[in-house]
Amino acid sequence: MTVSLSQMEEKVRLLVEHDQKDKAVKLLFEMVKACAKARQFKKADQLRKQMSEVNSMALEQIIGAAEIIDAEKAKAIDPDHKRVWSGLYEHMGEVEASDFYFSLKKMELPPDKMILQQGRVNNRLFLVDSGIMKILYEKDKKEMFLKESGKGEPVGFQSFFSISYATVTAVTRGPVTLHMLDRNAWDLLMAEHPGIGGKLETICKNRIKDKIEDLLKKKAAERRMYERFKIKGKAGVQILDSQNQPTKAAFSVVMEDLSRGGVAFSFRKSSSKEARMFLGRHALLDIHAGKGRLSKSGRIIGVYNQMFNEFLVNFKFDELEPLEKIQDMVTASKAKV
């Protein structure tokens, strides 16, 4: 029968009560080893301190216990995470940094996994080690791509520190590795290290590459900047990978409007979840409008569910198209083929 930790602690208490301190220290030493191997480092440290309280002269066992804890901690540290986030740990004291790291939970996520949902209370901070997160924003039932967040950038930090509703949605673009800090672990850290809060918030703030409010203002300005023209026609869309190679065969869409900066087109998908998978993806668009032809690369920055699984998509060009070419395309779309 396996003996629980609480049963072993009771046995230590009885040994101390009967003045069998050497046996109590020996048992505590074994408990430290077990807890350290199980990565229960906080408990292991508590037991090591208890060894000193039981018999402060048992230096060999006390020092040995500390060495075991340090060795297990070293084995448990993710070197890739520490390298990516070295700037964060350098601003913490040694004990602070250790306690912070072991309060985190490592997560390896598949593509299209939502970790943050707009409008929901957020109790988690995500530190991205590798991969790409898509940051999305919804307004008037229209979902827009705002930006990508990669390694070394925190996700969810504003709503985490303010204990408020998330202002954006975050979805993995591909496989993502990150470390997550939840509210309960954070509260325990704050109780032990009161100064850690300001450090972490400041560092996270400095690591944000583009503020959400600035991106939203920029998108609003872009919509006003370029005149949109109604256009009839079809287009083929090919989703591209990170090397700008097609991931699958092109699918057909219906053109809605055209501007120097991008286009709007509509297509059908079986669900909103399937449509969302295209948000933020780089793609190649081949437009056929009457006698007009136009091929442009760009990014899908908005998806709007119009009813009955028909979606309106905003596609932003990588490079602006001359106004004359846009006007020629609109004219060509009206001509008979």
Side-chain angles (χ1 to χ4, degrees):
M1 184 176 72
T2 304
V3 179
S4 69
L5 188 62
S6 60
Q7 289 173 316
M8 293 173 77
E9 287 180 310
E10 176 61 17
K11 189 173 180 179
V12 168
R13 188 188 69 78
L14 292 172
L15 287 170
V16 173
E17 194 175 281
H18 290 86
D19 202 29
Q20 297 181 354
K21 293 182 178 181
D22 288 344
K23 288 185 178 180
V25 167
K26 186 176 179 180
L27 181 54
L28 284 167
F29 183 81
E30 294 302 318
M31 293 163 69
V32 167
K33 284 202 298 185
C35 287
K37 286 185 179 297
R39 298 189 178 182
Q40 297 174 7
F41 298 115
K42 200 168 289 292
K43 186 63 179 177
D45 274 323
Q46 291 172 355
L47 293 168
R48 181 188 58 79
K49 290 175 184 176
Q50 192 176 347
M51 290 170 67
S52 296
E53 293 167 2
V54 171
N55 184 2
S56 61
M57 299 305 293
L59 296 177
E60 186 177 345
Q61 292 95 326
I62 294 168
I63 293 170
E67 290 174 345
I68 287 169
I69 294 170
D70 288 342
E72 291 297 332
K73 280 184 175 180
K75 286 194 288 185
I77 290 173
D78 183 329
D80 293 329
H81 169 79
K82 289 297 289 284
R83 184 168 55 252
V84 171
W85 291 93
S86 59
L88 168 61
Y89 291 99
E90 286 168 3
H91 283 80
M92 296 181 183
E94 188 177 341
V95 177
E96 261 186 341
S98 177
D99 286 351
F100 175 76
Y101 179 82
F102 290 109
S103 295
L104 302 174
K105 179 182 178 182
K106 185 176 180 179
M107 302 176 73
E108 295 181 346
L109 305 175
D112 302 307
K113 176 73 174 179
M114 183 190 296
I115 64 168
L116 192 69
Q117 186 171 4
Q118 184 177 333
R120 296 280 183 91
V121 173
N122 175 41
N123 287 310
R124 298 184 294 176
L125 173 68
F126 303 93
L127 306 179
V128 180
D129 299 328
S130 66
I132 299 293
M133 299 297 310
K134 298 187 294 184
I135 308 301
L136 316 175
Y137 179 79
E138 184 177 331
K139 184 178 181 182
D140 300 327
K141 296 184 179 180
K142 181 179 180 181
E143 206 163 33
M144 295 183 290
F145 170 80
L146 287 183
K147 68 168 190 171
E148 292 178 341
S149 290
K151 69 176 182 179
E153 190 168 359
V155 174
F157 106 94
Q158 287 173 312
S159 50
F160 178 78
F161 285 111
S162 61
I163 316 180
S164 63
Y165 294 103
T167 56
V168 294
T169 293
V171 181
T172 58
R173 195 186 76 180
V176 168
T177 300
L178 53 79
H179 279 72
M180 181 270 292
L181 177 68
D182 66 29
R183 177 75 57 200
N184 292 333
W186 178 238
D187 289 341
L188 291 172
L189 271 173
M190 288 286 285
E192 274 193 58
H193 306 285
I196 199 172
K199 293 178 185 178
L200 184 59
E201 187 171 0
T202 299
I203 292 166
C204 285
K205 187 175 182 179
N206 291 337
R207 287 210 172 208
I208 295 293
K209 294 172 184 174
D210 297 293
K211 293 181 180 179
I212 301 302
E213 52 269 30
D214 292 342
L215 290 170
L216 291 172
K217 288 177 183 176
K218 183 180 178 182
K219 286 191 178 293
E222 287 175 349
R223 285 195 295 271
R224 293 191 296 268
M225 193 179 300
Y226 306 117
E227 183 180 0
R228 295 182 178 189
F229 300 91
K230 286 290 182 183
I231 187 170
K232 293 182 179 180
K234 292 189 175 182
V237 179
Q238 276 192 305
I239 302 297
L240 305 177
D241 61 18
S242 57
Q243 279 74 47
N244 287 328
Q245 296 300 312
T247 58
K248 56 181 69 176
F251 59 91
S252 182
V253 300
V254 177
M255 293 296 300
E256 300 290 343
D257 63 47
L258 176 66
S259 76
R260 292 191 63 203
V263 304
F265 60 77
S266 58
F267 72 137
R268 299 184 74 85
K269 278 293 171 185
S270 60
S271 68
S272 294
K273 182 178 179 181
E274 189 179 1
R276 175 189 280 141
M277 290 171 62
F278 291 100
L279 260 176
R281 298 301 299 271
H282 204 234
L284 184 65
L285 187 71
D286 286 308
I287 303 171
H288 299 264
K291 295 181 179 180
R293 299 290 185 274
L294 180 65
S295 181
K296 295 288 287 185
S297 63
R299 192 181 295 276
I300 295 172
I301 62 168
V303 176
Y304 176 54
N305 191 343
Q306 299 189 105
M307 289 179 66
F308 307 115
N309 291 329
E310 184 168 317
F311 296 87
L312 181 69
V313 174
N314 289 333
F315 182 88
K316 182 181 179 181
F317 296 153
D318 288 333
E319 297 180 357
L320 294 176
E321 191 70 8
L323 180 59
E324 295 78 10
K325 178 68 174 177
I326 297 300
Q327 291 172 332
D328 289 344
M329 283 289 295
V330 173
T331 301
S333 72
K334 298 175 182 177
K336 294 183 179 180
V337 181

